[in-house]
């Protein structure tokens, strides 16, 4: 997933190509994740990373939060960190086809 995204550049094209995922409504990560998605969709990568990091801290078992953090890190040219988060998302999200097929 990370390799496919490298070099896409900045802007909303990344958000359009790789949409961020919602967390479960009852997840402790939901509020921060939702804020992160708003910023991610607007191309505000640093703010998205900030909110997705809070989402991961609130619910470290949320594959979607790890996946979204990976997307924002990758868009911020933090590819090594993104790769680690993509791996965590894939490990946690075995039943999520959006994550597994990314």
């Amino acid at each position: 997933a990370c390799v496919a995204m490298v070099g896409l550049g900045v802007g909303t094209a990344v958000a359009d190509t790789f949409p961020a995922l919602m967390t479960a409504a009852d997840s402790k990560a939901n509020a921060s994740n939702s804020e992160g998605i708003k910023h991610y969709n607007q191309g505000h990568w640093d703010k998205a990373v900030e909110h997705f990091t809070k989402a991961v801290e609130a619910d470290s078992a949320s594959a979607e939060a790890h996946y979204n953090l990976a997307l924002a890190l990758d868009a911020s040219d933090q590819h090594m960190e993104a790769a680690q988060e993509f791996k965590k998302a894939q490990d946690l999200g075995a039943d999520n086809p959006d994550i597994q097929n990314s």
Side-chain angles (χ1 to χ4, degrees):
C2 183
V3 175
M5 295 174 53
V6 174
L8 286 177
V10 296
T12 57
V14 174
D16 291 342
T17 305
F18 299 97
L21 304 176
M22 293 298 298
T23 52
D26 60 349
S27 170
K28 292 178 182 177
N30 200 30
S32 294
N33 189 65
S34 295
E35 275 300 306
I37 289 172
K38 289 177 190 174
H39 288 285
Y40 178 78
N41 288 341
Q42 295 173 11
H44 303 158
W45 312 131
D46 58 335
K47 283 297 200 182
V49 166
E50 181 182 319
H51 288 288
F52 292 143
T53 298
K54 289 179 184 175
V56 166
E57 290 169 353
D59 185 357
S60 63
S62 171
E64 294 80 9
H66 284 282
Y67 178 80
N68 293 344
L69 177 55
L71 291 176
L73 286 166
D74 195 65
S76 300
D77 293 326
Q78 297 176 60
H79 305 299
M80 295 293 283
E81 295 88 345
Q84 293 171 349
E85 292 300 324
F86 277 124
K87 173 77 170 103
K88 289 178 190 173
Q90 283 199 314
D91 291 346
L92 293 168
D95 60 345
N96 187 324
D98 289 324
I99 292 172
Q100 294 302 315
N101 297 327
S102 66

